[in-house]
Amino acid sequence: MIQQLRDFKEKYIEFWNSVSKKRKFLFIGIFIAIIVALSLSLYFLSRSTYVPLFTNEMSQKEIGDIKAELDQEGYTEYKLDQNGTKILVPQEDVDNLLVSLASKGLPQTGTISFFDMTKDLQFGATDRQLDAMEKEALQGEVADLLRHVEGVKNAAVVISTPEENLFVRQDEKDQASASVVIELEPGYEVEPKEIEVLYHLVSKSVPNLPKENIVMTDQGGQGLDHPNQVTGAMDSFEQQRQIQEEIETDIQKDLQKMLGTIMGHNKVLVQAFVRLNFDQVKTREDLVEPVDEETGNGIAVSVEEISKEYSGTDTAAGIDGTGETDIPEYPSNGSSQESTSTEIENRVNYEVNRITNEIVQSPYKIEDLTINVGVEPPNPDNPASLTAETKGNIQQILSNVVRTALSSNPTLTNEDITSRITVFSQEFSGKVEMPTLEEETSSIPPVWWKYALIGAGGLLLLVAIVALVRRRRSKEEEDEDPFPIFSENKAEPIELKEDEKVAIKKQVEQMAVQQPEEFVGLLRNWLSRE
């Protein structure tokens, strides 16, 4: 056995000596890589996987109580995470630790459902106890609902519900109210839409709770007001001022573009002032019109005709004789007279057109408009060089604009419109800023500069490509032999003559006969190199 080991050792040493330096370094590198891979595999396979002991969010005080209990039991295989609000333990120990902590009443806080409260409730509980437990469970459910919103780390909710009274009508019933404290994630800024979602969740989770009765703040005491409640004089003023500026800017841009095309973009300056009416007027009209305009009648929806006939017999009778105050009559001889009568009544119900119009006028109505236009004369030193005809044309253009903008006021006369327009000639001391993109691009030089830029860009790209190719070639030349110390000197093949080949062959044969051991070593060296 020992001899076999020695033979194996000699063969291994002989093989190792016959291997080139490059292959030796390759074998050593492969061996080291295998050792490192095995070590890392054993490390990761033997390492425990840590998971949260409790998945719900807990305060640092609760984590401190649990940590103290674990230390008392002698369990130290735990880690704290997320600034002390999470406790991590090995995955295989989670079940045992949960049972052990639950037997000691930990954790003492958390979200408890109404079912958990009432499952051990004894017989004879009062209504006040049930109401208190129901309110506590509802507050916990709402707080847990808010925690599921992105950016909300924790939430606390207090709900105040009115007492039910049998003698209060439904329309006079008191409304509920709620106070909410939201703990946001560090560095998270809540958007107005997200605040509206939080208000909506709380309002719909509690019966008879309008959004106006909800007070919501963050952990720093900053109020999270509902977007619809953030109204005030300053907000309304800023909005109206922004609308007024946009209308004035649009009028100035349009006039600057039109007049600048005629007079020159640097020869005209336009300034407009607008007074708006922000009152929103809503009117309702209830109209009744006949269907037939010629007769003024509507559509007959019901027609009723009533006919009555009467018939009877009249008999003449009297008293014999006459007196001073009596009317002479003749005695009846038994004769009679029949009489008939007819009564006809027609009832017709007509339906007319009933029209209801609800008209809402736009609140952004232009009540007044004033336009001032400054024109630089052709000869800046002579303001009179601006002719009256040109000035009148500009005046006419501006009059049309003012008349169109104030078309809702039919009482305006030409004098009123002219009084709102001012056109003056004045030399400009500075350059007029172009308000539109078209005016800015109109002063750009001809198109040839674009082709010049494209050509320059192409030339720079070509130079960069050439430099990159040369750099790569030089790098390849440097990297041909990264280990020049261990490389073998490879001589270029030499062309030998026939007589030289014969002489070398004889020397090799002579060496094989006289020095066989050196010849075998040389032959092995040649074979290993190939």
Side-chain angles (χ1 to χ4, degrees), residues 331-345:
S332 174
N333 56 2
S335 63
S336 63
Q337 184 180 359
E338 293 183 359
S339 62
T340 60
S341 63
T342 302
E343 180 183 355
I344 298 176
E345 180 182 358

Side-chain angles (χ1 to χ4, degrees), residues 399 402-403 406 409-420:
S399 299
V402 175
R403 185 179 292 105
L406 303 179
N409 188 1
T411 60
L412 287 177
T413 61
N414 293 332
E415 289 77 9
D416 296 334
I417 294 176
T418 305
S419 63
R420 288 169 169 78

Side-chain angles (χ1 to χ4, degrees), residues 489-505:
N489 297 325
K490 298 182 180 179
E492 296 181 357
I494 302 174
E495 298 291 338
L496 300 177
K497 298 180 180 180
E498 292 295 328
D499 53 349
E500 293 177 352
K501 292 181 179 180
V502 173
I504 292 173
K505 183 178 180 182

Side-chain angles (χ1 to χ4, degrees), residues 252-261 265 436 438-439:
Q252 291 175 177
K253 284 183 178 181
D254 294 339
L255 292 177
Q256 185 79 32
K257 179 179 179 181
M258 181 177 59
L259 297 178
T261 305
H265 295 292
T436 60
E438 293 81 359
E439 295 171 351

